[in-house]
């Protein structure tokens, strides 16, 4: 007997169970004549899911709702399949990535999509926060996939099925190529998954979106026509009360985005873009031109310099994984581009490789909003540069210049954030 899945056919949450069914051989069929907004409001459907959410799986033992729970049920309906791994730790890691992709990727994509579709009041700060959180999640996923083909083990698991379905609307409706190119390992993973035969049978051909959909306004509430009133003779003029719809509109108007605290600091004589331009355009005599120019521009009252060192250098045993760690960190630092310049050195010709950095930040402290938003920050020890110490000042020069050998060792790579 087939399990019956109540959903419309093009529902990425229903795809989870349907793809699991392809891998396990469990029979799952979409309910005939399902009509969203009609079927899910019937008494029979509400008995299966009291809040009318879709999908719902009808089983011999009773209904199951919530798409991840449905996918788990289908996966466990067939014993001895590989979708839950081969050990207790595999099982835990699979559950870990299911939760991660649901909370860090799917939830933020859904917020972004609702705002664009007019299903929620469009507020730019809300959209910016959703995109920033999404990028943080994709960055973490990208780092993991730098050294893993699948999320857990060496074959497709339930974690891959659910994560790929959670990424689907992102790739097809919101995330253009220029957006996803920041996360090359996520790109490779997604296209590998959707072209697996069992995925392709359910998805069909997938095409990445060329643009982010324009913001669609929610249907405006109809404003009541103002009633005609007799003009008072002796009374002073009073301002007519605003119609209720106008008051609601006023309340819903987005509030100005609060300024970044760094924008409120006193003006600095150092113009960060001028330094970045000098750094980029200096091709010869780097010490005489760029380094000298940096110290001529540097404003110790408006900016501060910081050394950082990765806390877990002994784990940097694979060169490309180490390079991807640093690359992911710099991607996630994008939120600081207006306020920072950085150099990251990957040091050594043999593992373990050392990762050290130099950062120029607006203000006298590492900005709090960067600490809050970029989780990589806590992976490094941070030390403020004392520019009155000639040894430290010379180390700044060497790091800006990518001097090699650096502290007696070869450089595997040097990356710049500007």
């Amino acid at each position: 007997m087939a399990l019956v899945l109540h959903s419309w056919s093009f529902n990425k949450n229903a795809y989870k169970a349907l793809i699991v069914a392809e891998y396990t051989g469990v029979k799952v069929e979409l309910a005939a004549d399902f009509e969203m907004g009609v079927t899910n409001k019937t008494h029979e459907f509400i008995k299966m899911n009291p809040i009318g959410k879709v999908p719902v799986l009808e089983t011999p033992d009773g209904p199951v709702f919530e798409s991840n729970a449905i996918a788990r049920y289908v996966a466990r309906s067939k014993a001895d399949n590989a979708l839950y791994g081969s050990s207790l730790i595999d099982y835990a890691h699979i559950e870990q990535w299911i939760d991660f992709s649901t909370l860090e990727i799917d939830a933020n994509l859904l917020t972004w999509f609702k705002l664009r579709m007019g299903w929620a009041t469009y507020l730019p700060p809300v959209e910016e926060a959703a995109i920033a959180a999404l990028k943080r999640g994709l960055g973490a996923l990208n780092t993991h996939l730098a050294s893993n083909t699948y999320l857990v083990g060496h074959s497709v698991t339930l974690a891959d099925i659910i994560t790929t379905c959670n990424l689907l609307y992102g790739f097809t409706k919101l995330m253009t190529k220029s957006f996803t190119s920041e996360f090359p390992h996520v790109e490779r993973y997604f296209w590998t998954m959707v072209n697996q035969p069992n995925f392709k049978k359910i998805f069909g051909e997938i095409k990445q979106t060329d643009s982010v959909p324009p913001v669609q306004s929610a249907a405006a509430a109809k404003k009541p026509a103002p009633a005609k009133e007799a003009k008072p003779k002796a009374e002073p003029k009073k301002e007519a009360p605003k119609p209720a719809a106008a008051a609601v509109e006023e309340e819903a108007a987005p509030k100005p985005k609060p300024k970044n605290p760094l924008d409120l600091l006193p003006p600095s004589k150092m113009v960060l873009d001028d330094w970045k331009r000098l750094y980029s355009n200096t091709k010869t005599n780097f010490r005489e031109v760029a380094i000298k120019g940096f110290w001529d521009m540097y404003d110790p009252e408006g900016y501060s310099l910081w050394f950082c060192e990765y806390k877990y250098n002994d784990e940097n045993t694979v060169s490309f994984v180490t390079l991807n760690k640093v690359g992911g960190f710099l991607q996630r630092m994008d939120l600081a581009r207006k306020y920072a310049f950085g150099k990251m050195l990957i040091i050594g010709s043999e593992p373990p490789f050392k990762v050290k950095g130099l950062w120029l930040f607006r203000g006298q402290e590492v900005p709090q909003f960067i600490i809050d938003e970029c989780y990589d920050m806590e992976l490094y020890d941070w030390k403020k540069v004392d520019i009155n110490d000639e040894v430290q000042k010379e180390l700044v020069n060497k790091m800006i210049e990518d001097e090699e050998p650096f502290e007696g060792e070869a450089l595997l790579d040097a990356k710049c954030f500007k």
Side-chain angles (χ1 to χ4, degrees):
M1 173 185 169
L3 302 170
V4 179
L5 189 64
H6 296 263
S7 173
W8 71 95
S9 55
F10 301 106
N11 179 1
K12 59 99 176 170
N13 286 330
Y15 289 164
K16 298 172 185 178
L18 295 173
I19 295 169
V20 171
E22 293 297 323
Y23 276 94
T24 59
V26 174
K27 284 197 73 176
V28 176
E29 294 176 354
L30 283 171
D33 303 321
F34 180 91
E35 187 179 349
M36 187 62 187
V38 177
T39 308
N40 61 313
K41 295 182 183 297
T42 63
H43 177 69
E44 292 76 13
F45 192 93
I46 297 300
K47 281 175 66 178
M48 293 191 293
N49 184 349
I51 58 174
K53 282 181 67 176
V54 176
V56 170
L57 184 70
E58 204 173 346
T59 83
D61 303 312
V64 180
F65 55 82
E66 296 297 340
S67 60
N68 290 350
I70 293 169
R72 290 180 175 104
Y73 180 92
V74 177
R76 289 181 175 133
S77 296
K78 179 71 175 291
D80 302 324
N81 70 74
L83 293 184
Y84 262 110
S86 57
S87 66
L88 184 60
I89 193 65
D90 281 355
Y91 172 82
H93 285 158
I94 288 164
E95 291 291 334
Q96 162 191 289
W97 286 110
I98 289 173
D99 287 350
F100 176 89
S101 71
T102 301
L103 297 170
E104 304 295 337
I105 294 173
D106 190 43
N108 291 309
L109 281 170
L110 183 59
T111 298
W112 189 9
F113 192 60
K114 281 181 175 178
L115 293 169
R116 287 276 156 176
M117 292 296 100
W119 300 343
T121 302
Y122 180 75
L123 299 171
V126 176
E127 181 177 57
E128 288 170 17
I131 293 171
L134 172 63
K135 284 188 170 184
R136 175 178 175 172
L138 291 173
L141 182 60
N142 193 69
T143 298
H144 178 73
L145 292 171
S147 54
N148 294 278
T149 302
Y150 304 100
L151 289 174
V152 182
H154 302 290
S155 62
V156 171
T157 66
L158 187 60
D160 297 302
I161 295 171
I162 290 176
T163 298
T164 302
C165 289
N166 286 337
L167 286 165
L168 182 65
Y169 280 10
F171 273 85
T172 58
K173 298 183 183 300
L174 291 166
M175 301 190 301
T176 61
K177 174 65 179 174
S178 63
F179 184 99
T180 59
S181 63
E182 293 182 34
F183 312 101
H185 304 297
V186 175
E187 282 188 324
R188 183 262 307 158
Y189 170 79
F190 178 77
W191 294 114
T192 299
M193 290 298 108
V194 300
N195 284 295
Q196 298 290 311
N198 288 333
F199 282 79
K200 200 163 188 175
K201 185 173 179 180
I202 303 302
F203 287 163
E205 291 296 328
I206 299 297
K207 182 179 181 296
Q208 187 164 8
T209 185
D210 294 324
S211 60
V212 179
V215 176
Q216 298 180 28
S217 300
K222 193 175 180 181
K223 294 184 182 181
K228 289 184 181 178
E229 295 181 12
K231 197 173 184 180
K233 291 179 183 176
E235 295 283 332
K237 270 191 171 182
K238 290 183 182 179
E239 191 179 339
K242 292 179 183 176
V248 171
E249 223 171 66
E250 213 168 78
E251 279 181 21
K255 293 177 182 175
K257 184 180 176 183
K259 284 196 171 185
N260 188 304
L262 299 185
D263 293 327
L264 304 176
L265 293 174
S268 170
K269 69 173 187 177
M270 183 175 194
V271 179
L272 190 58
D273 284 344
D274 287 351
W275 157 242
K276 291 179 179 181
R277 201 175 300 108
L278 177 65
Y279 174 89
S280 299
N281 293 337
T282 304
K283 306 302 180 188
T284 58
N285 300 323
F286 198 86
R287 279 263 172 169
E288 294 75 12
V289 178
I291 300 293
K292 182 179 183 303
F294 173 79
W295 291 113
D296 288 344
M297 294 180 186
Y298 183 63
D299 171 18
E301 293 180 1
Y303 284 83
S304 55
L305 285 162
W306 295 79
F307 294 128
C308 68
E309 183 167 3
Y310 192 64
K311 293 179 182 178
Y312 311 105
N313 280 323
D314 57 320
E315 296 177 3
N316 295 333
T317 56
V318 180
S319 59
F320 77 90
V321 174
T322 306
L323 292 169
N324 284 326
K325 278 182 190 175
V326 176
F329 173 38
L330 295 182
Q331 286 172 1
R332 290 182 285 280
M333 283 292 282
D334 192 62
L335 76 168
R337 198 167 295 279
K338 181 180 172 183
Y339 310 101
F341 170 86
K343 293 299 299 283
M344 295 297 293
L345 307 184
I346 300 91
I347 304 159
S349 54
E350 298 291 336
F353 303 99
K354 298 174 190 170
V355 176
K356 295 186 178 184
L358 169 74
W359 287 85
L360 172 72
F361 289 125
R362 183 76 165 98
Q364 294 302 306
E365 301 296 333
V366 177
Q368 187 61 45
F369 81 94
I370 301 174
I371 296 171
D372 293 341
E373 295 293 333
C374 183
Y375 67 84
D376 303 72
M377 298 293 286
E378 65 185 26
L379 302 177
Y380 291 83
D381 287 318
W382 294 86
K383 177 187 174 185
K384 194 171 188 178
V385 177
D386 179 0
I387 62 169
N388 296 313
D389 182 332
E390 289 302 321
V391 174
Q392 292 188 40
K393 192 170 179 180
E394 177 58 18
L395 187 57
V396 169
N397 297 340
K398 290 177 179 179
M399 296 185 84
I400 294 175
E401 191 180 11
D402 307 337
E403 182 177 278
E404 190 174 14
F406 181 81
E407 296 182 336
E409 295 187 78
L411 290 179
L412 178 66
D413 199 4
K415 296 181 182 291
C416 183
F417 176 92
K418 57 182 171 52

